[in-house]
Amino acid sequence: IMNFAQIGISDCAKGKSETLKEHFEDIFFNGKRLSTLISDLLDISKFEAGIMNLQLEMWSVHTCVENAVTATRGLVAQKNLVVEIGGAAQEESALVDARRLEQVLINLMSNAIRFSPEGGRIVWCFTNTAMLVCDSGITTPALSITIENEGTNIPEDELEIIFEHFVQGKDGIKKGGGTGLGLTICREFLLPLHGPIHARNIANGKVAFEIILPLWHCFSPTNL
């Protein structure tokens, strides 16, 4: 950021105004990356200190996904990507912190954009399912939210470790960018909601990330 600012100052002094737009774009891009890194580090610190407070309310998960797609539409346009959002599941309202959930979805969306080829397709899907909550022995109705993107498969030995702090897969390192914290934050945000997240490979080089949210408001003894 400082280097590009210094170059811009020098160009102004020399009357080279035609390059200023490019310098400002570089400053903005790198400033945004720095802001994201600081925000991610602060969130991780809050988790480790046990001071992350969640505001739980009933929210439409389908709407949260739509908001995440809207928030990243500039990145989508840059790569000419096609984004499809499947129809809402029969039961798709969950007890969540909507702001935190949207951050998780934005992280997943940004990840999908980053690894998608030019003109590729990103697809969101919703499915009603059921899940066993931790070691409680309780089974409850749940909602599966899946995002699929084209590109290259993740090596099988990286499917779990990519959720660890500062870990990037080999393909991620090659593509540059990223802090290695986005997927960690997804996992940490979902832990208080008992919502697991995992990645899997699909045929033809596609990759899918799936979140499963328990629908506590649907719970009844008949679900045991």
Side-chain angles (χ1 to χ4, degrees):
I1 292 172
M2 294 175 67
N3 284 341
F4 284 124
Q6 287 177 329
I7 293 171
I9 292 170
S10 176
D11 283 356
C12 280
K14 297 175 183 178
K16 298 181 179 179
S17 59
E18 68 277 3
T19 59
L20 292 184
K21 181 177 182 293
E22 181 180 341
H23 296 327
F24 278 121
E25 287 174 346
D26 290 332
I27 290 170
F28 177 78
F29 174 78
N30 286 284
K32 193 171 183 179
R33 284 193 62 199
L34 180 59
S35 177
T36 299
L37 174 58
I38 293 171
S39 178
D40 287 350
L41 288 171
L42 288 173
D43 283 337
I44 291 295
S45 297
K46 288 179 182 178
F47 281 123
E48 293 177 344
I51 57 174
M52 180 64 75
N53 296 317
L54 299 179
Q55 303 296 320
L56 299 179
E57 297 180 82
M58 292 298 300
W59 280 91
S60 163
V61 175
H62 194 274
T63 298
C64 288
V65 169
E66 290 176 338
N67 291 341
V69 171
T70 298
T72 55
R73 60 187 175 188
L75 297 174
V76 169
Q78 288 176 14
K79 297 186 74 171
N80 298 312
L81 301 174
V82 175
V83 180
E84 297 179 2
I85 303 178
Q90 184 176 0
E91 178 57 65
E92 56 91 33
S93 292
L95 188 64
V96 297
D97 183 320
R99 187 170 68 87
R100 297 300 182 187
L101 177 60
E102 284 184 11
Q103 186 172 347
V104 168
L105 300 173
I106 288 172
N107 283 357
L108 292 178
M109 186 68 189
S110 299
N111 190 71
I113 292 169
R114 182 180 170 205
F115 291 100
S116 292
E118 184 79 18
R121 185 181 302 272
I122 296 173
V123 180
W124 288 93
C125 300
F126 307 87
T127 308
N128 288 123
T129 182
M131 64 176 287
L132 180 66
V133 181
C134 300
D135 299 322
S136 66
I138 297 175
T139 299
T140 182
L143 178 67
S144 167
I145 309 108
T146 304
I147 179 173
E148 300 177 3
N149 68 273
E150 300 169 342
T152 56
N153 286 154
I154 301 172
E156 292 295 322
D157 61 347
E158 295 180 2
L159 288 173
E160 290 299 325
I161 64 171
I162 55 176
F163 293 98
E164 300 297 327
H165 289 42
F166 300 110
V167 172
Q168 296 188 66
K170 296 182 180 68
D171 196 37
I173 294 173
K174 291 178 184 177
K175 290 182 180 293
T179 62
L181 288 174
L183 293 177
T184 302
I185 288 173
C186 289
R187 184 188 62 184
E188 296 290 344
F189 276 178
L190 292 168
L191 279 176
L193 303 176
H194 301 285
I197 179 173
H198 63 271
R200 66 177 184 273
N201 291 315
I202 307 177
N204 302 320
K206 293 183 180 180
V207 175
F209 284 83
E210 181 184 27
I211 298 169
I212 300 179
L213 292 177
L215 300 175
W216 295 108
H217 60 290
C218 293
F219 178 77
S220 71
T222 58
N223 298 126
L224 290 175

